[in-house]
Amino acid sequence: MVDPEFIVADEPVSALDVSIQAQILNLLMEAQEERGLTYMFITHDLSVVQHISTRVAVMYLGTLCELSPAQTLFESPRHPYTQALLSAIPRLGQKRSRHVRLKGEVPTPIHLPRGCVFHGRCVHANRRCEEDVPKARTVEGDVQVACHGVEEGRL
Ligand code: SF4
């Protein structure tokens, strides 16, 4: 308790204003460096993810979509859900909108869809996606993606 090696931080800065967020994140990073800590940081804030992470796991309805080094994930996301998430980040100087619009609504977690849980919202879904749960597979180096389209080479 007093000298941890691993800390799970669930939305630790989401309720704070931006300047306090930055102070807390800097404190956490200083403590990490001084004490050799490992954090599992759970957040919906992509700018926080980009700032603090070395590896990122992207989840949709409790299911792993993609696990990747942070820099690789932000430069070349592979899973359609990750691509849609990152496309929603506004970027200075970006002339044309690259925002990926998802179809449908988020399903209730009480009745998860069969197959890929994202298939009702994914423009790349096919029959296999409606029936088979995709397994996370290594696609290159340290990157794992759970997507039939990626596995089949059509994405
Ligand atoms: S498995 Fe199919 S539905 Fe799921 S993300 Fe990949 S292409 Fe889309």
Side-chain angles (χ1 to χ4, degrees), residues 5-9 27-29 31-32 37-41 52:
E5 294 176 355
F6 182 78
I7 292 177
V8 178
L27 272 176
L28 286 168
M29 289 165 79
Q32 183 180 40
L37 294 171
T38 299
Y39 297 128
M40 184 168 81
F41 217 84
I52 201 164

Side-chain angles (χ1 to χ4, degrees), residues 58-72:
V58 178
M59 311 286 292
Y60 181 74
L61 290 173
T63 303
L64 179 73
C65 298
E66 182 162 359
L67 177 64
S68 174
Q71 192 178 350
T72 309

Side-chain angles (χ1 to χ4, degrees), residues 42-102:
I42 302 165
T43 181
H44 289 82
D45 187 328
L46 293 172
S47 58
V48 170
V49 173
Q50 191 165 19
H51 185 64
I52 201 164
S53 308
T54 47
R55 279 176 74 69
V56 181
V58 178
M59 311 286 292
Y60 181 74
L61 290 173
T63 303
L64 179 73
C65 298
E66 182 162 359
L67 177 64
S68 174
Q71 192 178 350
T72 309
L73 185 105
F74 279 90
E75 284 173 1
S76 52
R78 301 292 304 269
H79 192 283
Y81 178 60
T82 315
Q83 291 171 350
L85 264 186
L86 298 191
S87 79
I89 302 174
R91 294 182 199 280
L92 281 176
Q94 185 174 294
K95 289 193 179 124
R96 279 194 302 159
S97 170
R98 294 166 54 208
H99 187 204
V100 177
R101 290 191 185 279
L102 298 177

Side-chain angles (χ1 to χ4, degrees), residues 79-80 116 118-119 122 124-125 129 134 147-149 154-155:
H79 192 283
C116 172
F118 188 55
H119 82 253
C122 179
H124 307 288
C129 302
C147 173
H148 297 312
R154 58 189 174 84
L155 296 180

